Amino acid sequence: MQNELSLPKTPIRFALYASRPYWYWGMFAVMCVVLAGSIDSATYYVFKRLIDTSMAYSNGTVAISAVLIWVVAYPLTATGHQFLYRAANYFAATWLTSTRSHGANMLFRYLSLHSIPYFNNRFAGSTASKIWNASGGVQGMYETFLWGYLSTFIAFVTSAFLVYTVSYWVGHLFIGWIAALVVANYFLSKRTAKYSEQRAAIRSRVSGVVVDIVTNMLAVKNFARRAAEIERVEAGTEELRVASWWSWFYYETLLVFNNVLNTLFALSMIGAGYFLWSSGQITIG
């Protein structure tokens, strides 16, 4: 067992260490997300085959049995991925709640090793608040990985494969747009991370100040520091409000920018699809 005095210092290493006893729950959750994302993207292919086969049946070129296969396959894929996502949530609930609890316990054991004078200063409350921020951050990191990065990556890979089966030209256009979106968001998200980090640091400091004041209320009253402490808390909450506003405002601006890019992306893909369809290179499905 790793020494309590040498906990991992980086967020990713600490997250991996905190979740180590529950790795199998995480593995099951990841497997379900991968399967669900793949089936979700494949639903569009099934729908395409359903349309094409139905039109072929109307023209008398295929039997009704060929249509029935896709009629049955479509609801199975459309609902099957939802059940897999629910299963992933069940596994993730056990994995992440256990990981957060284990991480908080490790941090508290580490904090308890400090000397007695350490707990008598005004920074102890802020440090205690960071325990919950750090353990909660581990859970948030894994949630973002599961429902954000992993799901998006699986959808991208599956969609790219399906697009390339239709047309190499449209596939190249699809890859080009995705690359442009990823590069643009990579640079723009750096400022988002800066605002989020600033907001988290201020929230930890304000929470610590409140904890310290409450636990030392006797000293505050005896030395007539109530007005000064109230002013200190109000100044901290105002600073937190401003930081939260900037973080939220920039995030919404980033979403607007992405909406514009996604609109251009959709229009270009529809235009390319219409051109290929009108020239007889692809089917309507």
Short mmCIF file of all heavy atoms in Angstrom, two decimals, residues 118-177:
data_model
loop_
_atom_site.label_atom_id
_atom_site.label_comp_id
_atom_site.label_asym_id
_atom_site.label_seq_id
_atom_site.Cartn_x
_atom_site.Cartn_y
_atom_site.Cartn_z
N TYR A 118 -0.62 23.43 12.93
CA TYR A 118 -1.16 23.64 11.58
C TYR A 118 -2.67 23.88 11.63
O TYR A 118 -3.21 24.70 10.89
CB TYR A 118 -0.84 22.43 10.71
CG TYR A 118 -1.50 22.46 9.35
CD1 TYR A 118 -0.94 23.18 8.30
CD2 TYR A 118 -2.70 21.79 9.12
CE1 TYR A 118 -1.55 23.22 7.06
CE2 TYR A 118 -3.31 21.82 7.88
CZ TYR A 118 -2.73 22.53 6.86
OH TYR A 118 -3.34 22.57 5.64
N PHE A 119 -3.36 23.16 12.51
CA PHE A 119 -4.82 23.27 12.58
C PHE A 119 -5.27 24.48 13.38
O PHE A 119 -6.48 24.74 13.46
CB PHE A 119 -5.40 21.99 13.21
CG PHE A 119 -5.18 20.78 12.36
CD1 PHE A 119 -4.10 19.94 12.60
CD2 PHE A 119 -6.03 20.48 11.31
CE1 PHE A 119 -3.89 18.82 11.81
CE2 PHE A 119 -5.83 19.37 10.52
CZ PHE A 119 -4.75 18.54 10.77
N ASN A 120 -4.36 25.23 13.95
CA ASN A 120 -4.73 26.42 14.71
C ASN A 120 -4.66 27.69 13.88
O ASN A 120 -5.00 28.76 14.36
CB ASN A 120 -3.82 26.57 15.93
CG ASN A 120 -4.07 25.47 16.96
OD1 ASN A 120 -5.17 24.97 17.07
ND2 ASN A 120 -3.02 25.10 17.69
N ASN A 121 -4.20 27.57 12.63
CA ASN A 121 -4.12 28.79 11.83
C ASN A 121 -5.38 28.95 10.97
O ASN A 121 -6.23 28.08 10.91
CB ASN A 121 -2.85 28.78 10.94
CG ASN A 121 -2.88 27.66 9.92
OD1 ASN A 121 -3.86 27.48 9.21
ND2 ASN A 121 -1.79 26.91 9.84
N ARG A 122 -5.46 30.07 10.28
CA ARG A 122 -6.69 30.42 9.56
C ARG A 122 -6.79 29.74 8.21
O ARG A 122 -7.77 29.93 7.49
CB ARG A 122 -6.76 31.93 9.38
CG ARG A 122 -6.81 32.71 10.67
CD ARG A 122 -7.00 34.19 10.39
NE ARG A 122 -8.26 34.45 9.71
CZ ARG A 122 -9.41 34.67 10.32
NH1 ARG A 122 -9.46 34.65 11.66
NH2 ARG A 122 -10.51 34.91 9.65
N PHE A 123 -5.81 28.92 7.84
CA PHE A 123 -5.86 28.26 6.55
C PHE A 123 -6.36 26.83 6.65
O PHE A 123 -6.52 26.15 5.65
CB PHE A 123 -4.46 28.26 5.91
CG PHE A 123 -3.92 29.63 5.68
CD1 PHE A 123 -2.96 30.16 6.53
CD2 PHE A 123 -4.38 30.40 4.64
CE1 PHE A 123 -2.46 31.43 6.32
CE2 PHE A 123 -3.89 31.68 4.43
CZ PHE A 123 -2.92 32.19 5.27
N ALA A 124 -6.59 26.33 7.85
CA ALA A 124 -7.03 24.94 8.01
C ALA A 124 -8.37 24.69 7.36
O ALA A 124 -8.61 23.66 6.73
CB ALA A 124 -7.07 24.58 9.49
N GLY A 125 -9.31 25.64 7.51
CA GLY A 125 -10.63 25.47 6.92
C GLY A 125 -10.57 25.41 5.41
O GLY A 125 -11.27 24.62 4.79
N SER A 126 -9.74 26.25 4.80
CA SER A 126 -9.59 26.22 3.36
C SER A 126 -9.03 24.89 2.88
O SER A 126 -9.46 24.35 1.87
CB SER A 126 -8.67 27.37 2.91
OG SER A 126 -8.50 27.36 1.53
N THR A 127 -8.06 24.36 3.64
CA THR A 127 -7.49 23.07 3.28
C THR A 127 -8.52 21.96 3.39
O THR A 127 -8.59 21.07 2.54
CB THR A 127 -6.28 22.76 4.19
OG1 THR A 127 -5.34 23.82 4.09
CG2 THR A 127 -5.62 21.46 3.76
N ALA A 128 -9.34 22.01 4.44
CA ALA A 128 -10.39 21.01 4.61
C ALA A 128 -11.38 21.08 3.45
O ALA A 128 -11.86 20.05 2.97
CB ALA A 128 -11.11 21.21 5.93
N SER A 129 -11.68 22.29 3.00
CA SER A 129 -12.59 22.44 1.87
C SER A 129 -12.02 21.83 0.60
O SER A 129 -12.75 21.29 -0.23
CB SER A 129 -12.89 23.93 1.65
OG SER A 129 -13.72 24.12 0.54
N LYS A 130 -10.70 21.90 0.45
CA LYS A 130 -10.06 21.36 -0.74
C LYS A 130 -10.19 19.83 -0.81
O LYS A 130 -10.09 19.25 -1.89
CB LYS A 130 -8.59 21.76 -0.79
CG LYS A 130 -8.37 23.25 -1.05
CD LYS A 130 -6.91 23.59 -1.12
CE LYS A 130 -6.71 25.09 -1.31
NZ LYS A 130 -7.25 25.57 -2.58
N ILE A 131 -10.38 19.17 0.33
CA ILE A 131 -10.58 17.72 0.32
C ILE A 131 -11.79 17.37 -0.53
O ILE A 131 -11.74 16.49 -1.40
CB ILE A 131 -10.74 17.18 1.75
CG1 ILE A 131 -9.42 17.26 2.50
CG2 ILE A 131 -11.26 15.74 1.73
CD1 ILE A 131 -9.50 16.75 3.93
N TRP A 132 -12.88 18.08 -0.30
CA TRP A 132 -14.10 17.78 -1.03
C TRP A 132 -14.00 18.25 -2.48
O TRP A 132 -14.55 17.60 -3.38
CB TRP A 132 -15.29 18.44 -0.34
CG TRP A 132 -15.35 18.09 1.11
CD1 TRP A 132 -15.19 18.92 2.18
CD2 TRP A 132 -15.51 16.77 1.67
NE1 TRP A 132 -15.26 18.22 3.35
CE2 TRP A 132 -15.46 16.90 3.08
CE3 TRP A 132 -15.71 15.50 1.13
CZ2 TRP A 132 -15.59 15.82 3.94
CZ3 TRP A 132 -15.84 14.42 1.98
CH2 TRP A 132 -15.78 14.58 3.37
N ASN A 133 -13.30 19.35 -2.73
CA ASN A 133 -13.10 19.78 -4.11
C ASN A 133 -12.27 18.77 -4.89
O ASN A 133 -12.56 18.46 -6.04
CB ASN A 133 -12.43 21.15 -4.14
CG ASN A 133 -13.37 22.28 -3.77
OD1 ASN A 133 -14.58 22.13 -3.86
ND2 ASN A 133 -12.83 23.40 -3.33
N ALA A 134 -11.21 18.26 -4.24
CA ALA A 134 -10.33 17.32 -4.93
C ALA A 134 -11.03 15.99 -5.18
O ALA A 134 -10.97 15.44 -6.29
CB ALA A 134 -9.06 17.09 -4.10
N SER A 135 -11.71 15.46 -4.16
CA SER A 135 -12.40 14.18 -4.35
C SER A 135 -13.56 14.32 -5.32
O SER A 135 -13.82 13.42 -6.13
CB SER A 135 -12.89 13.65 -3.00
OG SER A 135 -13.76 14.58 -2.37
N GLY A 136 -14.26 15.46 -5.26
CA GLY A 136 -15.33 15.70 -6.23
C GLY A 136 -14.78 15.89 -7.63
O GLY A 136 -15.41 15.49 -8.61
N GLY A 137 -13.59 16.50 -7.72
CA GLY A 137 -12.97 16.67 -9.03
C GLY A 137 -12.60 15.35 -9.68
O GLY A 137 -12.67 15.20 -10.91
N VAL A 138 -12.21 14.37 -8.87
CA VAL A 138 -11.90 13.03 -9.40
C VAL A 138 -13.14 12.43 -10.04
O VAL A 138 -13.10 11.90 -11.16
CB VAL A 138 -11.37 12.11 -8.28
CG1 VAL A 138 -11.31 10.66 -8.76
CG2 VAL A 138 -9.98 12.58 -7.85
N GLN A 139 -14.27 12.51 -9.33
CA GLN A 139 -15.52 11.98 -9.86
C GLN A 139 -15.91 12.72 -11.14
O GLN A 139 -16.31 12.10 -12.14
CB GLN A 139 -16.64 12.09 -8.83
CG GLN A 139 -17.98 11.57 -9.32
CD GLN A 139 -19.04 11.59 -8.24
OE1 GLN A 139 -18.73 11.65 -7.06
NE2 GLN A 139 -20.29 11.54 -8.66
N GLY A 140 -15.80 14.05 -11.12
CA GLY A 140 -16.14 14.83 -12.30
C GLY A 140 -15.25 14.51 -13.49
O GLY A 140 -15.70 14.50 -14.64
N MET A 141 -13.98 14.23 -13.22
CA MET A 141 -13.05 13.89 -14.29
C MET A 141 -13.46 12.60 -14.99
O MET A 141 -13.48 12.51 -16.23
CB MET A 141 -11.63 13.76 -13.72
CG MET A 141 -10.55 13.51 -14.76
SD MET A 141 -8.93 13.22 -13.99
CE MET A 141 -8.74 14.74 -13.06
N TYR A 142 -13.81 11.59 -14.20
CA TYR A 142 -14.23 10.33 -14.78
C TYR A 142 -15.57 10.46 -15.50
O TYR A 142 -15.79 9.84 -16.55
CB TYR A 142 -14.33 9.25 -13.70
CG TYR A 142 -13.00 8.65 -13.33
CD1 TYR A 142 -12.54 8.67 -12.02
CD2 TYR A 142 -12.20 8.05 -14.29
CE1 TYR A 142 -11.31 8.12 -11.68
CE2 TYR A 142 -10.97 7.49 -13.97
CZ TYR A 142 -10.53 7.52 -12.66
OH TYR A 142 -9.32 6.97 -12.32
N GLU A 143 -16.49 11.25 -14.96
CA GLU A 143 -17.78 11.46 -15.62
C GLU A 143 -17.58 12.14 -16.98
O GLU A 143 -18.23 11.77 -17.98
CB GLU A 143 -18.70 12.30 -14.74
CG GLU A 143 -19.21 11.56 -13.51
CD GLU A 143 -20.02 12.46 -12.60
OE1 GLU A 143 -20.01 13.69 -12.81
OE2 GLU A 143 -20.67 11.93 -11.67
N THR A 144 -16.70 13.13 -17.02
CA THR A 144 -16.42 13.80 -18.29
C THR A 144 -15.80 12.84 -19.29
O THR A 144 -16.12 12.88 -20.49
CB THR A 144 -15.46 14.98 -18.06
OG1 THR A 144 -16.05 15.89 -17.12
CG2 THR A 144 -15.16 15.71 -19.35
N PHE A 145 -14.92 11.96 -18.81
CA PHE A 145 -14.31 10.98 -19.71
C PHE A 145 -15.35 10.03 -20.28
O PHE A 145 -15.38 9.77 -21.50
CB PHE A 145 -13.25 10.18 -18.94
CG PHE A 145 -12.77 8.95 -19.69
CD1 PHE A 145 -11.94 9.06 -20.78
CD2 PHE A 145 -13.17 7.68 -19.27
CE1 PHE A 145 -11.51 7.92 -21.47
CE2 PHE A 145 -12.75 6.55 -19.95
CZ PHE A 145 -11.92 6.68 -21.06
N LEU A 146 -16.24 9.51 -19.41
CA LEU A 146 -17.23 8.53 -19.87
C LEU A 146 -18.25 9.13 -20.82
O LEU A 146 -18.45 8.64 -21.93
CB LEU A 146 -17.96 7.94 -18.66
CG LEU A 146 -17.34 6.73 -17.96
CD1 LEU A 146 -18.22 6.30 -16.80
CD2 LEU A 146 -17.15 5.57 -18.92
N TRP A 147 -18.92 10.20 -20.37
CA TRP A 147 -20.05 10.74 -21.13
C TRP A 147 -19.64 11.82 -22.11
O TRP A 147 -20.45 12.19 -22.97
CB TRP A 147 -21.10 11.29 -20.16
CG TRP A 147 -21.39 10.39 -19.01
CD1 TRP A 147 -21.34 10.70 -17.69
CD2 TRP A 147 -21.76 9.01 -19.07
NE1 TRP A 147 -21.65 9.61 -16.93
CE2 TRP A 147 -21.91 8.55 -17.74
CE3 TRP A 147 -21.97 8.11 -20.11
CZ2 TRP A 147 -22.25 7.25 -17.43
CZ3 TRP A 147 -22.31 6.80 -19.80
CH2 TRP A 147 -22.46 6.38 -18.48
N GLY A 148 -18.43 12.31 -22.00
CA GLY A 148 -17.97 13.34 -22.92
C GLY A 148 -16.99 12.82 -23.95
O GLY A 148 -17.34 12.55 -25.09
N TYR A 149 -15.76 12.63 -23.53
CA TYR A 149 -14.69 12.27 -24.48
C TYR A 149 -14.89 10.90 -25.10
O TYR A 149 -14.79 10.74 -26.33
CB TYR A 149 -13.34 12.35 -23.77
CG TYR A 149 -12.98 13.72 -23.29
CD1 TYR A 149 -12.73 13.98 -21.95
CD2 TYR A 149 -12.90 14.79 -24.18
CE1 TYR A 149 -12.41 15.26 -21.51
CE2 TYR A 149 -12.58 16.07 -23.75
CZ TYR A 149 -12.34 16.30 -22.42
OH TYR A 149 -12.03 17.56 -22.00
N LEU A 150 -15.14 9.87 -24.28
CA LEU A 150 -15.26 8.52 -24.82
C LEU A 150 -16.46 8.38 -25.74
O LEU A 150 -16.36 7.83 -26.84
CB LEU A 150 -15.35 7.51 -23.67
CG LEU A 150 -15.42 6.02 -24.10
CD1 LEU A 150 -14.18 5.65 -24.90
CD2 LEU A 150 -15.55 5.12 -22.88
N SER A 151 -17.62 8.89 -25.30
CA SER A 151 -18.82 8.80 -26.13
C SER A 151 -18.64 9.55 -27.46
O SER A 151 -19.03 9.05 -28.52
CB SER A 151 -20.03 9.37 -25.38
OG SER A 151 -20.29 8.63 -24.21
N THR A 152 -18.04 10.73 -27.39
CA THR A 152 -17.82 11.51 -28.60
C THR A 152 -16.84 10.82 -29.53
O THR A 152 -17.03 10.79 -30.76
CB THR A 152 -17.28 12.91 -28.23
OG1 THR A 152 -18.22 13.57 -27.37
CG2 THR A 152 -17.07 13.75 -29.48
N PHE A 153 -15.78 10.25 -28.97
CA PHE A 153 -14.79 9.56 -29.79
C PHE A 153 -15.40 8.35 -30.51
O PHE A 153 -15.16 8.14 -31.71
CB PHE A 153 -13.62 9.10 -28.92
CG PHE A 153 -12.57 8.31 -29.66
CD1 PHE A 153 -11.68 8.94 -30.52
CD2 PHE A 153 -12.50 6.94 -29.51
CE1 PHE A 153 -10.73 8.22 -31.22
CE2 PHE A 153 -11.54 6.20 -30.19
CZ PHE A 153 -10.66 6.84 -31.05
N ILE A 154 -16.20 7.55 -29.78
CA ILE A 154 -16.83 6.39 -30.40
C ILE A 154 -17.79 6.82 -31.50
O ILE A 154 -17.83 6.22 -32.59
CB ILE A 154 -17.58 5.55 -29.33
CG1 ILE A 154 -16.58 4.97 -28.31
CG2 ILE A 154 -18.37 4.42 -29.98
CD1 ILE A 154 -15.52 4.08 -28.92
N ALA A 155 -18.59 7.86 -31.23
CA ALA A 155 -19.51 8.36 -32.24
C ALA A 155 -18.77 8.87 -33.47
O ALA A 155 -19.20 8.63 -34.62
CB ALA A 155 -20.37 9.48 -31.66
N PHE A 156 -17.63 9.54 -33.26
CA PHE A 156 -16.84 10.05 -34.38
C PHE A 156 -16.28 8.92 -35.23
O PHE A 156 -16.39 8.94 -36.46
CB PHE A 156 -15.70 10.92 -33.85
CG PHE A 156 -14.60 11.14 -34.84
CD1 PHE A 156 -14.79 11.95 -35.95
CD2 PHE A 156 -13.36 10.54 -34.67
CE1 PHE A 156 -13.78 12.14 -36.86
CE2 PHE A 156 -12.34 10.73 -35.58
CZ PHE A 156 -12.54 11.54 -36.68
N VAL A 157 -15.68 7.92 -34.59
CA VAL A 157 -15.08 6.80 -35.33
C VAL A 157 -16.15 6.04 -36.12
O VAL A 157 -15.97 5.74 -37.31
CB VAL A 157 -14.34 5.84 -34.36
CG1 VAL A 157 -13.90 4.58 -35.09
CG2 VAL A 157 -13.15 6.54 -33.74
N THR A 158 -17.27 5.74 -35.47
CA THR A 158 -18.33 4.99 -36.15
C THR A 158 -18.92 5.80 -37.29
O THR A 158 -19.16 5.28 -38.39
CB THR A 158 -19.44 4.62 -35.15
OG1 THR A 158 -18.86 3.98 -34.01
CG2 THR A 158 -20.44 3.67 -35.79
N SER A 159 -19.17 7.09 -37.05
CA SER A 159 -19.74 7.95 -38.09
C SER A 159 -18.79 8.10 -39.28
O SER A 159 -19.22 8.07 -40.44
CB SER A 159 -20.08 9.32 -37.51
OG SER A 159 -21.03 9.22 -36.48
N ALA A 160 -17.51 8.26 -38.99
CA ALA A 160 -16.52 8.39 -40.07
C ALA A 160 -16.50 7.13 -40.92
O ALA A 160 -16.44 7.20 -42.16
CB ALA A 160 -15.14 8.67 -39.48
N PHE A 161 -16.56 5.98 -40.28
CA PHE A 161 -16.58 4.72 -41.02
C PHE A 161 -17.81 4.63 -41.92
O PHE A 161 -17.71 4.26 -43.11
CB PHE A 161 -16.56 3.54 -40.05
CG PHE A 161 -16.75 2.20 -40.71
CD1 PHE A 161 -15.72 1.60 -41.41
CD2 PHE A 161 -17.99 1.57 -40.62
CE1 PHE A 161 -15.92 0.37 -42.02
CE2 PHE A 161 -18.19 0.33 -41.23
CZ PHE A 161 -17.15 -0.27 -41.94
N LEU A 162 -18.98 4.99 -41.39
CA LEU A 162 -20.21 4.91 -42.18
C LEU A 162 -20.20 5.92 -43.33
O LEU A 162 -20.66 5.62 -44.43
CB LEU A 162 -21.42 5.16 -41.27
CG LEU A 162 -21.68 4.10 -40.20
CD1 LEU A 162 -22.83 4.51 -39.30
CD2 LEU A 162 -21.96 2.74 -40.84
N VAL A 163 -19.67 7.11 -43.08
CA VAL A 163 -19.61 8.11 -44.14
C VAL A 163 -18.68 7.66 -45.25
O VAL A 163 -18.99 7.82 -46.45
CB VAL A 163 -19.15 9.47 -43.57
CG1 VAL A 163 -18.86 10.46 -44.69
CG2 VAL A 163 -20.21 10.04 -42.64
N TYR A 164 -17.56 7.06 -44.91
CA TYR A 164 -16.61 6.58 -45.93
C TYR A 164 -17.19 5.43 -46.74
O TYR A 164 -16.81 5.23 -47.90
CB TYR A 164 -15.30 6.16 -45.28
CG TYR A 164 -14.29 7.28 -45.18
CD1 TYR A 164 -13.98 7.87 -43.96
CD2 TYR A 164 -13.64 7.76 -46.32
CE1 TYR A 164 -13.06 8.90 -43.87
CE2 TYR A 164 -12.72 8.79 -46.24
CZ TYR A 164 -12.44 9.36 -45.02
OH TYR A 164 -11.53 10.40 -44.94
N THR A 165 -18.10 4.65 -46.17
CA THR A 165 -18.75 3.59 -46.95
C THR A 165 -19.68 4.16 -48.01
O THR A 165 -20.00 3.48 -48.99
CB THR A 165 -19.56 2.64 -46.03
OG1 THR A 165 -20.59 3.39 -45.36
CG2 THR A 165 -18.66 1.97 -45.01
N VAL A 166 -20.14 5.39 -47.79
CA VAL A 166 -21.02 6.05 -48.76
C VAL A 166 -20.21 6.75 -49.84
O VAL A 166 -20.45 6.57 -51.04
CB VAL A 166 -21.94 7.06 -48.05
CG1 VAL A 166 -22.76 7.85 -49.08
CG2 VAL A 166 -22.85 6.35 -47.07
N SER A 167 -19.22 7.56 -49.42
CA SER A 167 -18.44 8.32 -50.39
C SER A 167 -17.12 8.74 -49.75
O SER A 167 -17.12 9.30 -48.64
CB SER A 167 -19.21 9.56 -50.85
OG SER A 167 -18.38 10.46 -51.58
N TYR A 168 -16.02 8.48 -50.44
CA TYR A 168 -14.72 8.91 -49.94
C TYR A 168 -14.62 10.43 -49.91
O TYR A 168 -14.01 11.01 -49.02
CB TYR A 168 -13.59 8.34 -50.81
CG TYR A 168 -13.20 6.93 -50.45
CD1 TYR A 168 -13.69 5.86 -51.18
CD2 TYR A 168 -12.36 6.69 -49.38
CE1 TYR A 168 -13.33 4.56 -50.84
CE2 TYR A 168 -11.99 5.40 -49.03
CZ TYR A 168 -12.49 4.33 -49.77
OH TYR A 168 -12.15 3.05 -49.42
N TRP A 169 -15.23 11.08 -50.91
CA TRP A 169 -15.18 12.53 -50.97
C TRP A 169 -15.89 13.15 -49.77
O TRP A 169 -15.37 14.07 -49.13
CB TRP A 169 -15.82 12.99 -52.27
CG TRP A 169 -15.66 14.46 -52.53
CD1 TRP A 169 -14.53 15.10 -52.94
CD2 TRP A 169 -16.67 15.46 -52.36
NE1 TRP A 169 -14.76 16.46 -53.05
CE2 TRP A 169 -16.07 16.70 -52.71
CE3 TRP A 169 -18.00 15.44 -51.98
CZ2 TRP A 169 -16.77 17.89 -52.66
CZ3 TRP A 169 -18.70 16.63 -51.94
CH2 TRP A 169 -18.09 17.84 -52.27
N VAL A 170 -17.09 12.66 -49.45
CA VAL A 170 -17.83 13.16 -48.28
C VAL A 170 -17.09 12.79 -46.99
O VAL A 170 -17.08 13.55 -46.02
CB VAL A 170 -19.26 12.60 -48.26
CG1 VAL A 170 -20.01 13.08 -47.02
CG2 VAL A 170 -20.02 13.02 -49.51
N GLY A 171 -16.45 11.61 -47.00
CA GLY A 171 -15.68 11.19 -45.83
C GLY A 171 -14.53 12.14 -45.53
O GLY A 171 -14.29 12.51 -44.37
N HIS A 172 -13.83 12.55 -46.58
CA HIS A 172 -12.73 13.51 -46.40
C HIS A 172 -13.28 14.85 -45.88
O HIS A 172 -12.64 15.50 -45.03
CB HIS A 172 -12.00 13.73 -47.72
CG HIS A 172 -11.22 12.52 -48.17
ND1 HIS A 172 -10.62 11.65 -47.30
CD2 HIS A 172 -10.95 12.05 -49.43
CE1 HIS A 172 -10.01 10.69 -47.98
NE2 HIS A 172 -10.20 10.91 -49.27
N LEU A 173 -14.43 15.27 -46.41
CA LEU A 173 -15.04 16.52 -45.93
C LEU A 173 -15.41 16.40 -44.46
O LEU A 173 -15.19 17.34 -43.67
CB LEU A 173 -16.28 16.82 -46.78
CG LEU A 173 -17.06 18.10 -46.41
CD1 LEU A 173 -16.19 19.34 -46.63
CD2 LEU A 173 -18.33 18.20 -47.25
N PHE A 174 -15.95 15.26 -44.08
CA PHE A 174 -16.33 15.01 -42.69
C PHE A 174 -15.12 15.08 -41.77
O PHE A 174 -15.14 15.76 -40.73
CB PHE A 174 -17.01 13.64 -42.59
CG PHE A 174 -17.42 13.26 -41.20
CD1 PHE A 174 -18.60 13.73 -40.65
CD2 PHE A 174 -16.63 12.41 -40.43
CE1 PHE A 174 -18.99 13.38 -39.37
CE2 PHE A 174 -17.01 12.05 -39.15
CZ PHE A 174 -18.19 12.53 -38.62
N ILE A 175 -14.04 14.40 -42.14
CA ILE A 175 -12.81 14.39 -41.34
C ILE A 175 -12.22 15.80 -41.23
O ILE A 175 -11.75 16.22 -40.17
CB ILE A 175 -11.78 13.42 -41.94
CG1 ILE A 175 -12.27 11.97 -41.84
CG2 ILE A 175 -10.43 13.56 -41.22
CD1 ILE A 175 -12.40 11.47 -40.42
N GLY A 176 -12.27 16.53 -42.35
CA GLY A 176 -11.73 17.89 -42.34
C GLY A 176 -12.47 18.80 -41.39
O GLY A 176 -11.85 19.57 -40.63
N TRP A 177 -13.80 18.72 -41.39
CA TRP A 177 -14.59 19.55 -40.49
C TRP A 177 -14.35 19.17 -39.02
O TRP A 177 -14.24 20.02 -38.14
CB TRP A 177 -16.07 19.43 -40.82
CG TRP A 177 -16.56 20.49 -41.75
CD1 TRP A 177 -16.92 20.34 -43.06
CD2 TRP A 177 -16.71 21.88 -41.46
NE1 TRP A 177 -17.30 21.54 -43.60
CE2 TRP A 177 -17.18 22.52 -42.63
CE3 TRP A 177 -16.50 22.65 -40.32
CZ2 TRP A 177 -17.45 23.88 -42.69
CZ3 TRP A 177 -16.76 24.01 -40.38
CH2 TRP A 177 -17.22 24.61 -41.55
#
